[in-house]
Amino acid sequence: MAASVTRFRCLNAPPLRQASRAFASSATFSSRGFATEASPPEQSTKRRPTYFKDSLNTVPSLSEFIGLPEKPLTPEDALELRTAMVGPAGKKKQITRLPEWLKTPIPDNSNYKKIKKDLRGLNLHTVCEEARCPNISDCWGGGDKSAATATIMLMGDTCTRGCRFCSVKTSKAPSPLDPHEPEHTAEALSRWGLGYVVLTSVDRDDLIDGGARHFTETIMKIKQKKPDMLVEALTGDYAGDLEMVSMVARSGLDVYAHNMETVEDLTPFVRDRRAKYRQSLTVLDAAKRAVPTLITKTSIMLGLGETEDQLWQTLRDLREVNVDVVTFGQYMRPTKRHMKVEEYITPDAFELWRQRALDMGFLYCASGPLVRSSYKAGEAFIENVLKKRKGITILADETTGMQKAVV
C-alpha cells in the first residue's frame, strides 16, 4: 500500500521546472522580514550591441539637413585623391578614398532584374556578377534587353586558379560541366535578340581539354540559332595547348580575346602561377595564325605598380603577334583578401595611353578607369568593323562618341 501511494504521488507531482519556479517565487517573498521595505527589482542594464554602421552614421551637414543641393566639384577637386583615418583609437591608419571618377550607381531597374531572372532561370552565370564589375548598371540597364550587354560565363562559377586580383570562386575540383549549358546559352541569347555577345569562362585545369570543346560547342550552337550574331570569346590559355586554342578559333567566332592582365614583371605576383606572360602571347599568336581574319583582343589593368617602360614593352610585344584591340582599365580591389591598389590612374593618363596605342597601329583601344575587357563601347566599335568587313554598310554611331570604324 505504501509503495502504491508513493508511486501515486510521484506520478501526480508537478513538473520539476514548475516546482523550481514556485520555490524561487516563494523564496523571493519570504526574504522580506520584520518591517523592512521591499527592495525594488533590479533593472536590466544590458547594453545594445554596436555595429559597424553606427560609426558611419555621422551627423548630417547643414546643407544636407535643410535639403540644399550640393555644389558641383571643380575639375581639380574631382581629381584630388582624398584620404581618411579609420580604426579604433591608438590604431588608426590612413586610407585613400575611392576617387569620384570611379563611383558608379547601384543597379536597380526593371531591365536589370529581367536579365538576372532570365539568367537564373536557365542556370547561367555572368562574369559581370561573379567578378563584381562596376559597369553592370550601365551594361544591363539599357532601355530594353536587346540594347543590353551581358558577358556569359561558361563552365560554372568556380575557377581552378587563384589570381590575386579576381573575386571568382576557386576550387581544385569544381562541379562537372553541365551538358545542357551550350543549348541553354544559345537559347537565351537568341531570345534576347542581341547583335553582339561576349562569352567567357572560368579556367578548368581539371579537364583534359581545359573546356575547349565545351566552349566550341556553345559557339556553334549560337551560330546555328542566329548566324548573324557576332560572337566574342574571352578564353583562358588552356595550359598552353595550342591545338585547343586553334579549335576554339575555328569554331565560327568573330573575336578571339585573351587577357594579358598586366606587364611581364608583375605577372608572377598578380596572376596564378600557371598563367604566364609569354604563354598568353603565344595563345594570341596561335589564334591569329589559325584564322588570319580573326580579330584578336586583350586587356591590361593599370594601378598595380607598373611603370611606363613596362607598359611600352607590353604594347610592343602585343603588336609583334598582331593583336588588333587592347583595352586599359583601373584595377579595383574586390575584397581585403586581394591585392591592394598601388595607384589610382587619372582619366587624362588613360586617354594618353589610348592615343599611344592607336599610334602604334592597334585597330582600336578603349581606355578609361571603368573600362573592362568586355566593354560595351568597345564592342560597338568592333561590331561596326566586322559589319564593314562583311559588306554591311550600316554603321551606327558609338554610344560614347568615340571614333567610328574606318577599314
Side-chain angles (χ1 to χ4, degrees):
M1 182 67 179
S4 61
V5 171
T6 304
R7 182 181 179 187
F8 176 81
R9 287 177 180 173
C10 292
L11 292 174
N12 290 274
L16 180 60
R17 180 174 298 175
Q18 293 182 6
S20 61
R21 288 177 179 173
F23 176 77
S25 61
S26 63
T28 303
F29 286 107
S30 63
S31 62
R32 182 183 176 187
F34 303 104
T36 59
E37 296 181 359
S39 58
E42 295 182 0
Q43 297 292 334
S44 175
T45 58
K46 186 177 180 181
R47 183 180 177 184
R48 183 183 70 84
T50 57
Y51 302 95
F52 177 71
K53 65 181 180 180
D54 294 333
S55 61
L56 299 180
N57 293 331
T58 57
V59 178
S61 63
L62 177 62
S63 60
E64 293 173 336
F65 184 77
I66 62 179
L68 289 178
E70 295 185 0
K71 295 181 179 180
L73 294 175
T74 64
E76 292 76 13
D77 291 338
L79 297 180
E80 180 185 358
L81 293 181
R82 302 179 186 277
T83 60
M85 301 299 295
V86 297
K91 295 183 179 179
K92 289 186 179 294
K93 61 179 181 180
Q94 181 174 310
I95 63 169
T96 301
R97 293 200 177 278
L98 196 67
E100 291 295 325
W101 64 82
L102 287 175
K103 295 181 179 180
T104 57
I106 297 174
D108 185 23
N109 56 42
S110 59
N111 197 48
Y112 170 85
K113 294 174 182 177
K114 287 178 183 177
I115 291 179
K116 190 169 185 177
K117 184 178 180 180
D118 284 351
L119 292 168
R120 295 296 84 81
L122 293 170
N123 194 28
L124 299 177
H125 305 278
T126 66
V127 73
C128 316
E129 297 171 290
E130 302 298 334
R132 306 183 185 186
C133 180
N135 297 320
I136 192 168
S137 61
D138 182 30
C139 293
W140 289 23
D144 52 56
K145 286 192 287 188
S146 63
T149 301
T151 302
I152 304 296
M153 189 164 69
L154 304 176
M155 299 188 280
D157 61 351
T158 305
C159 186
T160 55
R161 298 188 183 182
C163 296
R164 295 162 185 84
F165 64 88
C166 184
S167 65
V168 176
K169 293 183 292 186
T170 61
S171 173
K172 292 182 179 179
S175 301
L177 297 181
D178 179 6
H180 303 293
E181 186 178 51
E183 181 67 29
H184 287 171
T185 303
E187 177 63 28
L189 296 176
S190 62
R191 183 187 303 172
W192 290 347
L194 301 175
Y196 191 104
V197 64
V198 182
L199 302 177
T200 188
S201 72
V202 292
D203 281 298
R204 293 297 299 262
D205 297 293
D206 58 316
L207 303 175
I208 296 177
D209 64 348
R213 290 179 176 83
H214 191 86
F215 217 129
T216 301
E217 183 183 356
T218 303
I219 296 170
M220 295 175 69
K221 291 277 188 184
I222 294 172
K223 289 292 187 177
Q224 287 174 3
K225 287 184 176 291
K226 194 170 183 183
D228 58 339
M229 180 180 289
L230 301 176
V231 179
E232 175 183 328
L234 175 58
T235 75
D237 56 18
Y238 301 115
D241 190 340
L242 301 185
E243 290 186 6
M244 298 299 102
V245 174
S246 299
M247 180 174 64
V248 176
R250 294 191 179 101
S251 62
L253 56 81
D254 301 283
V255 179
Y256 192 106
H258 175 70
N259 289 344
M260 301 296 297
E261 308 295 4
T262 187
V263 297
E264 184 172 14
D265 292 343
L266 294 180
T267 295
F269 308 102
V270 174
R271 304 173 71 185
D272 186 274
R273 59 181 177 80
R274 289 163 285 187
K276 302 175 179 64
Y277 180 87
R278 294 292 164 183
Q279 183 169 276
S280 292
L281 285 175
T282 305
V283 168
L284 291 166
D285 186 36
K288 178 67 81 171
R289 291 177 183 273
V291 183
T293 58
L294 199 62
I295 291 181
T296 51
K297 175 183 173 184
T298 193
S299 181
I300 300 172
M301 295 179 294
L302 303 185
L304 292 167
E306 65 285 335
T307 65
E308 283 206 3
D309 291 340
Q310 292 169 341
L311 281 174
W312 276 117
Q313 184 57 50
T314 302
L315 292 178
R316 284 192 288 267
D317 292 339
L318 293 173
R319 288 305 300 140
E320 286 180 4
V321 294
N322 297 314
V323 172
D324 300 299
V325 178
V326 63
T327 66
F328 295 104
Q330 171 70 53
Y331 166 63
M332 296 174 68
R333 191 182 193 183
T335 69
K336 291 183 178 180
R337 297 182 292 104
H338 294 83
M339 292 184 62
K340 68 176 183 178
V341 179
E342 295 293 335
E343 181 184 4
Y344 286 115
I345 312 300
T346 63
D348 290 341
F350 276 107
E351 175 59 26
L352 178 62
W353 280 109
R354 186 186 76 86
Q355 192 58 51
R356 287 173 174 175
L358 294 177
D359 292 342
M360 291 184 68
F362 285 95
L363 177 66
Y364 176 75
C365 175
S367 181
L370 293 174
V371 169
R372 295 297 180 262
S373 55
S374 52
Y375 186 58
K376 186 161 65 173
E379 291 161 11
F381 181 90
I382 297 170
E383 182 178 1
N384 290 332
V385 172
L386 292 170
K387 285 180 178 179
K388 287 278 284 185
R389 288 183 176 180
K390 293 181 179 182
I392 301 175
T393 57
I394 299 175
L395 188 64
D397 289 337
E398 292 185 37
T399 57
T400 58
M402 293 183 181
Q403 181 185 7
K404 294 182 180 179
V406 178
V407 181

